[in-house]
Amino acid sequence: GAVVSQHPSWVICKSGTSVKIECRSLDFQATTMFWYRQFPKQSLMLMATSNEGSKATYEQGVEKDKFLINHASLTLSTLTVTSAHPEDSSFYICSARDPKASPRSEQFFGPGTRLTVL
Amino acid sequence: DAKTTQPPSMDCAEGRAANLPCNHSTISGNEYVYWYRQIHSQGPQYIIHGLKNNETNEMASLIITEDRKSSTLILPHATLRDTAVYYCIVRVDGATNKLIFGTGTLLAVQP
């Protein structure tokens, strides 16, 4: 199946700094990618939909100025956590769908990025 | 998208079939049932999906009741590597293709 990668797999940063997480579709072009956040022992929460060449669509309650999303190419979306604080520590996961497949095809998820803010 | 209800946890003996139920009593006629699983500290993995007919692939079988208000995911011969949280998701194939995850079922396969 299609492969989605994320980089880095884990990152530790100081409070107040910004962290960029990359999501790449390795063997297909994705016009749409999705970003999720998952706290310990909780389910995945959809944060935003990343659209190639246009602005991201954020879910209710997600601060767009806090979580900057850029989808500059058909294989890369980035999530930047700006001025990170300890409460932003979480597991961030992206997913993508191959637009050439049926609309009912599965989404492919990245392995996730563990962010720890000290 | 319709809401789903799953038991929070289940146990299964290794080598036996694991049957994971999901209730989706408010499902609409154009909504599909999807199953994903998430092994600890990894991204979710697609398992199977269906509309109204039973489906089978190399990973699992999906049995959807005739009224479509519930479904069961069957792992025919569970292994220790099948220990994961299993999510049942119901959604329309709209332009957004968003997946909204519920709480899922933690399946623990016991040796």
Side-chain angles (χ1 to χ4, degrees):
Chain A
V3 178
V4 174
S5 70
Q6 284 185 239
H7 177 81
S9 57
W10 60 271
V11 57
I12 301 173
C13 70
K14 293 182 178 180
S15 185
T17 61
S18 295
V19 174
K20 179 184 287 187
I21 302 170
E22 294 183 347
C23 177
R24 293 182 185 272
S25 56
L26 297 185
D27 51 1
F28 65 99
Q29 294 183 328
T31 54
T32 303
M33 293 183 174
F34 304 89
W35 287 97
Y36 295 82
R37 179 168 57 179
Q38 185 175 34
F39 293 109
K41 297 186 184 297
Q42 295 187 23
S43 186
L44 288 81
M45 185 195 80
L46 179 65
M47 299 176 68
T49 301
S50 172
N51 303 297
E52 189 269 335
S54 64
K55 291 182 178 180
T57 304
Y58 291 82
E59 296 298 303
Q60 191 173 10
V62 177
E63 301 174 59
K64 62 180 180 181
D65 295 329
K66 171 78 172 177
F67 300 99
L68 301 179
I69 292 173
N70 184 285
H71 194 155
S73 79
L74 287 171
T75 59
L76 173 65
S77 174
T78 61
L79 169 68
T80 301
V81 183
T82 62
S83 187
H85 288 92
E87 56 265 30
D88 298 322
S89 297
S90 189
F91 192 50
Y92 292 87
I93 308 169
C94 71
S95 72
R97 188 182 68 80
D98 184 348
K100 291 186 178 180
S102 161
R104 293 184 283 278
S105 67
E106 68 267 30
Q107 284 189 19
F108 301 98
F109 285 80
T113 297
R114 177 79 57 193
L115 170 63
T116 302
V117 185
L118 302 177
Chain B
D1 295 333
K3 180 179 172 60
T4 63
T5 303
Q6 299 177 252
S9 64
M10 292 182 63
D11 286 346
C12 176
E14 188 177 18
R16 305 296 292 270
N19 298 288
L20 293 94
C22 179
N23 285 321
H24 31 79
S25 58
T26 61
I27 191 171
S28 301
N30 59 348
E31 288 183 312
Y32 286 71
V33 180
Y34 283 76
W35 283 84
Y36 283 78
R37 73 179 183 183
Q38 184 181 25
I39 296 171
H40 183 62
S41 294
Q42 296 184 22
Q45 175 191 24
Y46 166 84
I47 302 173
I48 198 168
H49 75 278
L51 181 62
K52 55 182 179 180
N53 296 321
N54 297 337
E55 302 287 345
T56 295
N57 62 21
E58 64 278 6
M59 290 183 68
S61 294
L62 173 60
I63 307 299
I64 303 174
T65 58
E66 192 169 340
D67 63 8
R68 303 208 324 121
K69 293 184 177 182
S70 65
S71 60
T72 301
L73 178 74
I74 302 173
L75 307 179
H77 305 287
T79 71
L80 297 179
R81 287 178 293 182
D82 291 323
T83 293
V85 177
Y86 287 77
Y87 296 99
C88 169
I89 301 169
V90 171
R91 71 169 177 87
V92 178
D93 278 322
T96 63
N97 289 293
K98 292 194 297 186
L99 288 175
I100 305 300
F101 287 80
T103 53
T105 296
L106 173 58
L107 174 68
V109 180
Q110 309 290 344

